[in-house]
Amino acid sequence: AQSVTQLGSHVSVSEGALVLLRCNYSSSVPPYLFWYVQYPNQGLQLLLKYTTGATLVKGINGFEAEFKKSETSFHLTKPSAHMSDAAEYFCAVSDGDYKLSFGAGTTVTVRA
Amino acid sequence: DSGVTQTPKHLITATGQRVTLRCSPRSGDLSVYWYQQSLDQGLQFLIQYYNGEERAKGNILERFSAQQFPDLHSELNLSSLELGDSALYFCASSGGQGHYNEQFFGPGTRLTVL
């Protein structure tokens, strides 16, 4: 069975600062990894995904994540935060049967 | 807009009642997934259907059931509702060409049980 741990339920950053959201996973098979974003009163939107191949994955809105098998991590970063990045972010893992196991989520606040 | 639609957007009902949530997947997607999002449990997978057949079950209560119809839309039925069933219920779809392992989420149905 797979599981996801997101370190930090709340992250506060200044506008223009680095955004770093941490995600560690456990999976018995090579995982598929995802980051989703949820804006208030909306559904989940896919930011990026790792399936196979290049371990540095670029997504929408300037986000990227790096798959590190040795550390079982898939941390999400964005070099410069924007006010519009304020949202809740979920890391998720799938072991190939397509159902997703989500982390508890990290709420990002951006300070002007 | 993900292309996944869910109705109704909001549902308020009383304990002991039964409700049906509806989901239409993206065009071409054969898989439908149901998830529950609550403050205490987070986002939890409930059940998956693929082309009309149940494929996987997660933490779905016996009071809950789902089905996928020949036109691929899906319904989640919740019965004997309890206060703790209040949550946001999401439907997601996948399986379209080129996106077989990526799920697209609908806007959700917010269920309030009073």
Side-chain angles (χ1 to χ4, degrees):
Chain A
Q2 63 270 36
S3 65
V4 174
T5 301
Q6 289 184 240
L7 297 175
S9 58
H10 289 88
V11 168
S12 179
V13 297
S14 297
E15 194 173 17
L18 171 73
V19 179
L20 170 60
L21 305 183
R22 300 179 188 274
C23 171
N24 288 89
Y25 69 91
S26 68
S27 177
S28 56
V29 299
Y32 297 147
L33 295 159
F34 306 83
W35 276 100
Y36 282 85
V37 61
Q38 185 179 26
Y39 297 102
N41 300 313
Q42 293 187 29
L44 284 80
Q45 180 183 9
L46 182 69
L47 279 177
L48 49 78
K49 65 180 180 182
Y50 169 79
T51 54
T52 59
T55 56
L56 182 62
V57 180
K58 294 188 185 299
I60 62 171
N61 302 338
F63 284 94
E64 62 182 37
E66 187 170 13
F67 169 60
K68 291 188 176 181
K69 185 178 177 181
S70 60
E71 298 178 9
T72 60
S73 69
F74 191 57
H75 302 331
L76 180 72
T77 59
K78 181 174 180 178
S80 177
H82 190 271
M83 298 299 288
S84 61
D85 294 326
E88 189 162 18
Y89 293 79
F90 293 92
C91 182
V93 63
S94 169
D95 63 5
D97 65 355
Y98 308 140
K99 67 179 185 291
L100 294 172
S101 295
F102 286 90
T106 299
T107 299
V108 172
T109 305
V110 182
R111 305 185 305 271
Chain B
D1 185 351
S2 67
V4 178
T5 60
Q6 290 187 248
T7 56
K9 194 168 184 178
H10 299 279
L11 201 47
I12 301 174
T13 188
T15 54
Q17 294 299 303
R18 183 179 193 271
V19 297
T20 298
L21 313 183
R22 182 187 170 101
C23 167
S24 292
R26 292 188 326 148
S27 176
D29 283 356
L30 299 177
S31 273
V32 168
Y33 310 77
W34 286 97
Y35 293 87
Q36 179 194 59
Q37 185 179 33
S38 62
L39 284 174
D40 52 347
Q41 300 284 338
L43 262 166
Q44 290 207 304
F45 167 73
L46 295 178
I47 197 164
Q48 177 200 0
Y49 276 81
Y50 177 83
N51 203 20
E53 301 283 329
E54 182 185 303
R55 174 165 276 194
K57 255 185 176 178
N59 299 322
I60 187 166
L61 300 171
E62 284 190 15
R63 300 183 285 108
F64 296 0
S65 65
Q67 57 185 132
Q68 187 178 26
F69 294 87
D71 67 352
L72 301 178
H73 91 271
S74 178
E75 293 181 356
L76 179 67
N77 301 295
L78 315 177
S79 61
S80 302
L81 285 168
E82 302 174 358
L83 296 177
D85 297 327
S86 295
L88 197 49
Y89 291 84
F90 286 110
C91 167
S93 74
S94 73
Q97 193 171 8
H99 294 283
Y100 71 97
N101 60 351
E102 176 179 333
Q103 294 183 26
F104 296 85
F105 281 75
T109 292
R110 184 169 295 281
L111 173 66
T112 302
V113 182
L114 301 175

